[in-house]
Amino acid sequence: MVLTNTADVAIPELAGYQRRLLIGGAVGMIASLAGLFMEPTQFLQSYLMAYMLWLGVTLGCLALGMVHQLSGGGWGVVIRRPIGAATRVLPVMTGLFLPIAFGMFRLYSWTNLDLVAHDEALRHKHLYLNAPFFLARAAFYFLVWNTLTYFLNAWSLEQDTTAEPGLARRMQKLSAAGLLGYGLTITFASFDWLMSLEPHWFSTIYGVLIMGGQALSALAVLIVVLVWLSRRAPLDKIVVAAHFHDLGNLMLAFIMLWAYFSFSQYLIIWSGNLPTEIAWYLHRLQTGWRAVGVTLILFHFVVPFLLLLSRAMKREPRTIVVVAGGILVARLVDLFWLIAPEFHHAGISVSWLDVVLPVSLGAIWLGCFIGQLRGRAILPLHDPGFDEALGRILEKAKAERSAAAH
Amino acid sequence: MKTSPAVFGLIAEFEDPTSLVSAAHQAHDAGYRRMDAYSPFPIEELHEAIGARHTRLPLIVLIGGVCGCIGGFALQYWASTIVYPINVAGKPLNSWPAFIPVTFECTILVAALSAVLGMLALNGLPMPYHPVFNVPRFALASRNRFFLCIEAKDPQFDLESTRRFLETLNPREVTTVAD
């Protein structure tokens, strides 16, 4: 059966896409280096945004994969391999954190010790917000994420070859602990890398806001990938409308979760009306940045929410891929809204780097992703939920293929 | 027409869900429309196999949700700007961010109530009498047997030929359902 082949053999055109994406991404990155010399702070600001988007896709896939290990279900079986491939891009993303580590003195005002010395609040926060501890924490987060990725992928590969039933149980146990670890590390990572851009401001819901956003970015990318895969052999007869329906429902849930978290943060700060807390919203809502906020409400919530209410919309690959693509763009705008106003208090400011860097980094990410996808079978054949999820569909596909052959 | 008015339809009994789905497909292909399938557990393909039309329930729920949303917001707006205009912390009387949680809850409440009541209105439950229960073996539909009933209301229904058609689907037995 063709399904036991690696994706490389089953879908030979992947190699060409991988090469083109990596070359395109590298060209884009080299071109944006001009920006690094002309306006280094702008470069780092845009790089942080691009990096958080694609790191979010990677970690979102890691989290969704762990959730599926625990929950099971047909929705996850067909995207398990894309999820695994996405998590294996993490070592590359770990290396790509270096520009942020080197650029932290330009990005984060709390690294300026003169400023800290004259600011009572920052002096107290110095115990946490100082350069060595910041780097040590980052190293710890990447250690946790890479360890989880390594073991989950190694065991999944072992499951492919040996079909040993005990492996599924072992992956479940690691996923339970891993989800807890992910929740804690991503909360602190988002405090460190994004929230501390405005070191006086704090919001306790910020971590889960980023977490929900990562799962949403990951789902959007996975849906686009699955639609692409479902248009060619061997998945063309295996991925059916019901799979897109499930993923569409999940995406709807995460959109509502994002809206709920974002609005909760706003409502609490708006009600309290305290000077330190409202500053973050003041230079966003009383300047040109307000337009970005309105765009987010419309295109990160209202429009995709209404579209995804429709059953037909979710079941049709051609429409859901457009919604998923739109959400990925909205995710970028959301990160822009979180990061950019901290560097341009006066009003809205968009640089060419805000477009080139996310696209180039995305091309590199996709190139690495395809490279990882090629190495393994396209479905987890020995997953305990496999037969329940796909057994009947596979039989039907097999019958149709043999009927077509005769 | 040989059909006597006292016949509700013909019911075929199957031993597994796959035979029921394939029988339903064949009956639909043969042109039968007024039929219903009974199974002890939900079968995803069955709904499609008997050619069930899209239900109007989602629309009812949507309308309910929109009414709840507007109603919830209007209630708060009316209370805090028109009948009890109280200045709280210097905020405007129409402080819409504060109204959102209740608006949201009202949306969910009315949408959920429309779903339950709409479902009951559309499927006619509670229904104290249904002719299929006249077939003694139908009690097994809640245990381990699967039934397909072609109703006499179907324009193609004919007691003899429909029975012969059902026999071709390899049922355990075919029974006439009295009305």
Side-chain angles (χ1 to χ4, degrees):
Chain A
M1 180 102 190
V2 67
L3 285 176
T4 51
N5 286 335
T6 57
D8 200 17
V9 180
I11 315 170
E13 64 263 42
L14 282 176
Y17 281 108
Q18 181 189 355
R19 205 180 51 240
R20 266 172 276 168
L21 281 165
L22 286 177
I23 292 172
V27 169
M29 288 303 262
I30 291 167
S32 57
L33 281 182
L36 178 62
F37 293 109
M38 285 188 297
E39 27 179 7
T41 308
Q42 176 65 52
F43 176 88
L44 286 166
Q45 174 213 320
S46 308
Y47 185 85
L48 178 65
M49 174 180 73
Y51 181 78
M52 287 312 292
L53 178 72
W54 292 102
L55 180 74
V57 174
T58 318
L59 293 179
C61 283
L62 177 64
L64 285 177
M66 291 191 292
V67 167
H68 182 251
Q69 289 286 357
L70 296 176
S71 73
W75 62 274
V77 173
V78 286
I79 53 167
R80 241 322 239 297
R81 281 306 143 87
I83 281 180
T87 60
R88 291 195 298 280
V89 183
L90 189 61
V92 176
M93 294 311 287
T94 308
L96 288 172
F97 182 73
L98 288 177
I100 296 169
F102 284 117
M104 62 182 286
F105 294 98
R106 279 185 179 278
L107 282 171
Y108 304 104
S109 61
W110 50 262
T111 53
N112 180 347
L113 294 179
D114 278 346
L115 191 86
V116 172
H118 293 98
D119 190 311
E120 181 74 28
L122 291 191
R123 237 184 4 251
H124 283 93
K125 289 188 181 189
H126 188 68
L127 192 63
Y128 182 83
L129 287 180
N130 62 73
F133 193 27
F134 176 88
L135 294 173
R137 284 196 304 270
F140 175 72
Y141 307 145
F142 281 111
L143 179 72
V144 172
W145 300 332
N146 278 295
T147 309
L148 288 171
T149 301
Y150 175 80
F151 283 108
L152 287 172
N153 279 293
W155 291 341
S156 163
L157 187 65
E158 203 181 325
Q159 192 184 44
D160 267 14
T161 45
T162 63
E164 146 98 39
L167 285 165
R169 187 80 193 128
R170 219 190 294 169
M171 284 196 271
Q172 275 186 342
K173 283 183 180 159
L174 181 62
S175 297
L179 273 174
L180 191 67
Y182 166 77
L184 288 172
T185 48
I186 202 63
T187 301
F188 283 99
S190 62
F191 288 0
D192 289 3
W193 303 342
L194 295 174
M195 203 166 91
S196 82
L197 286 170
E198 161 124 37
H200 292 100
W201 183 75
F202 53 90
S203 157
T204 44
I205 209 168
Y206 203 85
V208 280
L209 186 59
I210 296 298
M211 223 184 289
Q214 291 190 338
L216 186 56
S217 311
L219 261 177
V221 169
L222 288 168
I223 287 175
V224 173
V225 167
L226 194 66
V227 169
W228 189 85
L229 287 172
S230 73
R231 287 189 182 153
R232 43 187 53 68
L235 290 190
D236 52 351
K237 295 226 165 57
I238 294 170
V239 177
V240 294
H243 293 129
F244 292 113
H245 193 169
D246 288 348
L247 293 174
N249 279 337
L250 271 178
M251 196 155 70
L252 177 63
F254 277 109
I255 284 171
M256 290 165 69
L257 197 67
W258 176 88
Y260 168 73
F261 289 151
S262 308
F263 182 74
S264 302
Q265 176 180 295
Y266 177 74
L267 180 64
I268 290 167
I269 291 176
W270 174 87
S271 309
N273 209 11
L274 300 171
T276 47
E277 289 182 353
I278 57 172
W280 196 86
Y281 280 109
L282 282 184
H283 62 245
R284 279 175 174 75
L285 293 178
Q286 298 196 341
T287 58
W289 289 108
R290 189 189 171 94
V292 180
V294 174
T295 308
L296 276 178
I297 295 173
L298 286 178
F299 293 98
H300 203 306
F301 176 61
V302 178
V303 173
F305 172 78
L306 292 176
L307 290 178
L308 288 173
L309 281 182
S310 149
R311 176 187 159 92
M313 203 72 145
K314 282 178 283 199
R315 295 179 73 90
E316 171 58 52
R318 272 176 306 184
T319 50
I320 192 139
V321 75
V322 174
V323 179
I327 283 173
L328 196 61
V329 176
R331 285 299 310 138
L332 183 66
V333 177
D334 184 37
L335 288 164
F336 182 63
W337 162 259
L338 294 179
I339 295 168
E342 299 306 337
F343 295 88
H344 309 277
H345 280 243
I348 193 159
S349 155
V350 187
S351 157
W352 60 282
L353 289 163
D354 289 328
V355 178
V356 174
L357 275 172
V359 172
S360 324
L361 204 64
I364 291 178
W365 189 93
L366 273 178
C368 297
F369 166 78
I370 292 176
Q372 293 297 334
L373 195 65
R374 285 168 61 197
R376 297 190 182 184
I378 200 72
L379 288 171
L381 296 171
H382 297 300
D383 185 90
F386 186 80
D387 283 331
E388 197 192 331
L390 292 175
R392 220 160 2 171
I393 298 174
L394 284 177
E395 270 170 39
K396 216 159 117 188
K398 217 167 162 182
E400 273 177 40
R401 280 220 176 87
S402 63
H406 288 307
Chain B
M1 289 283 272
K2 274 178 268 177
T3 317
S4 80
V7 171
F8 174 75
L10 281 164
I11 195 161
E13 176 184 338
F14 298 91
E15 290 186 335
D16 60 288
T18 327
S19 323
L20 174 62
V21 173
S22 106
H25 268 300
Q26 290 179 55
H28 192 262
D29 290 345
Y32 291 104
R33 290 294 176 271
R34 301 299 301 251
M35 57 180 160
D36 214 341
Y38 305 88
S39 145
F41 50 81
I43 304 173
E44 219 174 311
E45 301 100 317
L46 196 54
H47 167 85
E48 220 174 287
I50 57 168
R53 285 171 298 117
H54 273 281
T55 151
R56 275 173 300 159
L57 193 60
L59 184 66
I60 295 176
V61 178
L62 180 70
I63 293 170
V66 171
C67 290
C69 179
I70 295 170
F73 192 90
L75 174 71
Q76 296 171 87
Y77 181 87
W78 176 72
S80 40
T81 64
I82 297 166
V83 285
Y84 297 110
I86 297 170
N87 183 337
V88 180
K91 290 192 163 72
L93 290 177
N94 175 25
S95 285
W96 65 267
F99 300 163
I100 299 287
V102 173
T103 307
F104 172 75
E105 299 297 346
C106 288
T107 310
I108 303 297
L109 177 70
V110 181
L113 285 176
S114 330
V116 175
L117 299 176
M119 178 268 289
L120 291 177
L122 288 179
N123 65 15
L125 287 175
M127 191 185 286
Y129 174 78
H130 194 285
V132 282
F133 288 97
N134 292 336
V135 178
R137 287 189 66 82
F138 187 75
L140 294 173
S142 62
R143 260 188 257 161
N144 57 357
R145 289 298 149 88
F146 304 82
F147 292 87
L148 180 70
C149 179
I150 298 183
E151 295 166 15
K153 277 179 287 184
D154 192 285
Q156 271 199 53
F157 185 87
D158 177 274
L159 203 50
E160 293 306 311
S161 68
T162 303
R163 173 179 281 275
R164 272 198 303 278
F165 168 75
L166 281 173
E167 299 282 3
T168 64
L169 304 175
N170 300 321
R172 195 181 164 279
E173 69 181 318
V174 178
T175 319
T176 310
V177 184
D179 202 4

